[in-house]
Amino acid sequence: MDIISKIEQAGLVGRGGAGFPVAKKWEAVKNAAGDKKYVVCNAAEGEPGVLKDDYILEHYADRLIDGIKIAIDFLSERRPTSTGRRTSGYLYLRHDYYKKFRKKLAALIKNSAIEIFVEPLSAGYIGGEESAVLNAIEGQRIEPRLKPPLPAVRGLWNRPTLINNAETFYNVSLAAAGGYNNKRFYTISGDCLNEGVYELADDWLIEKILRHTNNYPKFEFFLQAGGGASGEVLNAGQLARPVGGAGSIAVFSLAKHDFKKTVKNWLDFFIKESCGQCAPCREGVLRLREVLIAEKIDWNLFNELLDNLSDASLCALGASVSAPIRSLVNNVFQQVS
Amino acid sequence: MKKISIKINSQAIICDEGKTIMQAARDHGVYLPDLCFHPDLSVKANCRICVVEVKGHNKLATACSTFVQDGLEISTDSERVKRSRNLNLELIFAEHIEKCPTCVWRLNCKLLELADRYKIEITRFKDRKGKRKVYKFANAVEIDGTQCIDCRNCLDACKQMQKINFLKLTGKGADQEIVPVSAGWRRNGKIDCIYCGQCAVHCPVGAAQEQTQWQLVEKVLRDNPPKSPLYKGGKILVAQFAPSIRVSIGEEFGAPYGKIVAGQVAAALKKLGFNYVFDVNFGADITTIVETEELKQRLKAGGALPMFTACCPAWVKYAEFYRPDLIPNLTTARSPQMHAAGLVKTYWAEAMKIDPKNITVVSIMPCTAKKYEAGRAELKVNGLLPVDYVITTRELAFMIKKNKIDFLKLKPEAADNPLGAASGAAAIYGGTGGVMKAALRELGNRRLRTVTVNGIGGIEEVLANLNDYDYVEVMACPDGCIGGGGQPIPTTAAIRKKRLSALHKIDAKSEVRKAHENQAAVKALEWLEGKGKLKEQVLFTKYRRRS
Ligand code: SF4
Ligand code: SF4
Ligand code: SF4
Ligand code: SF4
Ligand code: FES
């Protein structure tokens, strides 16, 4: 069975949040015209409450590198439509991960077409966005690119580029060896006893995960599940659902978190991390904070700004600002509005 | 091109595949606003005011960056679109401090126009950039951080078009700022601005703009109401306008692109209070005669070849800074504005019996770099700078509007003599290839290897093959001065084309086609003969290394 069929059979989907089928992405790069192609492994998670890349590098670095090599081999195979024979790969690493794992990784990539690229310290959260990763490697300003063109068609130095995150390459390696058994990584953090990364079945519900890991709170709480800073906020009665996105669960004690402070923290994060390209995000998050900290919140304007972020932002960072804030209001603090 | 059908605001439209929603809409008369979009530059889609709703899409789409597809149903004015577009406009307005009273844009401002069209509140959010810096590049161009809306057009103009890379973006998010590369803790010795103003002519909101002198000109005009030329003690005010102004300034008043309005320019300048209005085309004929004479000499005597034109001060700055080794190759002939003004303060002053100190010369130029040129000390004649002030096409248009002069209704007037007469060859100085063509008319059928650099961004290729040429024309701006940094906004490739063809029309209609057939010019040059140092001063210049 060829690798695409194996990936399809395993049902792998991207772990970045959008859930795009991995096999389709690989095929798209394979079919894109061009001799020179690139594979990029994104191991520079920057979202608060997501630490799975660290975990994978610590425990499964060999699998991760194997997955990248499989991708390079796949793109190097000749096909009538494509001659990506000169494919090479980048392992895009967070700075601290590089320091931690450089020796081990150097040994693993020896004699391969893989090169390590260390994410610049200033890259921040947006430095993990896939087209921003490409900019970083090219030495351009680190911020998302306008799409289309998609990286699969014109990525690194305008060549077709396959970019997946570390977990996906790890899974591909397992699938290739027939060892993929529908698990994924969950990062649990916040007001809980057993913070950490756990590898568990990908269809477990939030409540089960918390109980299994001895993290189910004994106090009043809410939590944020899915994509780190952009995850949806749920109350204790809403936990009968799987964790989406990047697999994060952040627990918040209700006693320690009031509405304004929580939202302000998030907005401070987005203000700091906005790349500043587009008006709805660059200006919008700034004004949201102004509205929030005013004595009386102008809810009309607040909602208008949130809608505009979802509707008109250039990239997913801006578009994801409203989900946590809206769900915090709807699911936890209905009384504030 | 494949035809596809889409719907815009419920109206069925057949259009070409490969167009953006913005193009398709505009082709069919549907209005769409834009700020960051400029046809000369790559699409960045960062202002988000061109948002439209596409049926079946989760998010709104930006019309400037989204391509049409068969069956798309687009709404440009739904409630959702309006809310988002208006809010983005309000957010952007709060980046742009209102300096309207002194802004040459005031009567022509895209932001104010959009605010008016959509009835938005321009002060819904507090201005947040009031304390930003203003960066000045010599006396030519400035970037005013308090007005910048972060669209990055200036960056791309300097980088993609001009390949100078003098501007960079620092900081992140709301703190980002356009700064010159030399603004850091230490001057970067490798890159410098050439003052071409392409950043300014591509800025949608006048944050990158010329360093204006219209206030000074206005003051001079106010202090010196029109007087008889023989009036003692008062200043005689002379305006001279560049070849390319006459085919562009009409746009500021709603005339179609490429309308020839030389007569209205002269009339408007008179109305503003200038005693005399001369045509820089006269100076262009002088330049052609002097420069071709030099070229002939160099060819004969084996001087530095290829010889380069030097009427574009941005190119001169480029050579002085980046390629000082080429200084001997630049023609020593001054530029048309300098030739004309030098003769005003000598030849004409003598004829009129006016003390040159009492003459104020104001140039109307398509160009920001001409402001810099006018201040170069080595251009002094008898201790006086020939040109006192330089204002751009935009600045003149602003003054005309401010004085409520109905420009297009003005009765055309001729420029004053003797410095008003010109050949057709002078007119085409305003466009790429024109200086070269004017010279070649002088040289007859001599076989010369020539090349024209149309926009400084294309210079590398020519510099790499210098041995292939005898004579090189360089114009820093795309398509030459008709695309200059001081020209009306918008200036785009399509608009430049229309201005250019208007110049050729003037040339074709001229009775005198060759510079040396301009009798007035020949007479002025005869007057200089035997005047030794004065002739040197009026006609020639020197260059120096600036890096
Ligand atoms: S939404 Fe816009 S400003 Fe925000 S990070 Fe994305 S591109 Fe940058
Ligand atoms: S004037 Fe010309 S060289 Fe200077 S910053 Fe503007 S575009 Fe760049
Ligand atoms: S100076 Fe003008 S062109 Fe440059 S980024 Fe600011 S608004 Fe845009
Ligand atoms: S091409 Fe013309 S407008 Fe542009 S810098 Fe040169 S002289 Fe000025
Ligand atoms: S004009 Fe389309 S986003 Fe600016």
Side-chain angles (χ1 to χ4, degrees), chain B residues 102-324:
Chain B
T102 54
C103 174
V104 277
W105 272 73
R106 174 171 44 149
L107 307 171
N108 192 13
C109 169
K110 209 163 183 175
L111 275 180
L112 286 177
E113 190 187 298
L114 289 171
D116 189 48
R117 171 182 274 266
Y118 296 124
K119 305 280 170 280
I120 67 145
E121 245 179 274
I122 64 173
T123 51
R124 187 168 186 194
F125 303 101
K126 271 207 318 282
D127 177 77
R128 73 172 181 88
K129 286 187 170 176
K131 297 215 166 69
R132 288 287 174 97
K133 282 205 187 96
V134 182
Y135 295 99
K136 297 195 184 256
F137 312 150
N139 66 342
V141 176
E142 67 182 31
I143 295 205
D144 182 345
T146 69
Q147 292 183 292
C148 172
I149 63 160
D150 295 320
C151 76
R152 305 184 181 183
N153 280 2
C154 53
L155 217 59
D156 287 354
C158 193
K159 182 178 179 174
Q160 297 173 358
M161 301 178 71
Q162 303 300 78
K163 303 207 170 83
I164 298 291
N165 266 314
F166 182 64
L167 301 175
K168 68 175 180 187
L169 192 62
T170 58
K172 191 176 170 186
D175 292 332
Q176 67 178 280
E177 191 187 3
I178 304 279
V179 301
V181 290
S182 56
W185 57 279
R186 179 169 74 100
R187 274 190 69 86
N188 176 331
K190 290 190 209 79
I191 304 178
D192 204 358
C193 178
I194 62 166
Y195 317 127
C196 63
Q198 285 303 309
C199 48
V201 78
H202 287 88
C203 175
V205 297
Q209 62 177 330
E210 61 274 66
Q211 288 179 43
T212 55
Q213 294 185 357
W214 66 263
Q215 298 93 328
L216 303 173
V217 173
E218 189 172 68
K219 185 167 180 310
V220 176
L221 287 167
R222 199 171 44 231
D223 295 349
N224 298 274
K227 291 180 184 93
S228 134
L230 300 174
Y231 173 84
K232 294 231 166 20
K235 290 271 186 191
I236 300 299
L237 305 180
V238 172
Q240 52 171 8
F241 62 101
S244 67
I245 304 290
R246 69 205 68 204
V247 296
S248 63
I249 196 171
E251 295 164 21
E252 292 269 357
F253 305 92
Y257 296 115
K259 184 163 170 67
I260 301 162
V261 290
Q264 285 86 342
V265 172
L269 288 166
K270 282 276 172 70
K271 227 177 167 119
L272 283 172
F274 287 100
N275 303 86
Y276 293 90
V277 175
F278 294 135
D279 191 335
V280 174
N281 281 11
F282 169 86
D285 277 337
I286 301 273
T287 307
T288 300
I289 297 170
V290 175
E291 188 164 328
T292 37
E293 206 43 57
E294 180 177 12
L295 181 59
K296 281 189 215 156
Q297 280 304 320
R298 288 195 191 197
L299 288 165
K300 199 158 80 195
L305 289 171
M307 190 174 88
F308 285 86
T309 60
C311 49
C312 167
W315 150 241
V316 169
K317 168 71 196 274
Y318 182 99
E320 289 182 325
F321 185 84
Y322 293 97
R323 292 298 302 269

Side-chain angles (χ1 to χ4, degrees), chain B residues 196 311-314 366-367 369-370 475-477 480-481 484-485:
Chain B
C196 63
C311 49
C312 167
C367 179
K370 288 281 168 192
M475 289 291 172
C477 296
C481 305

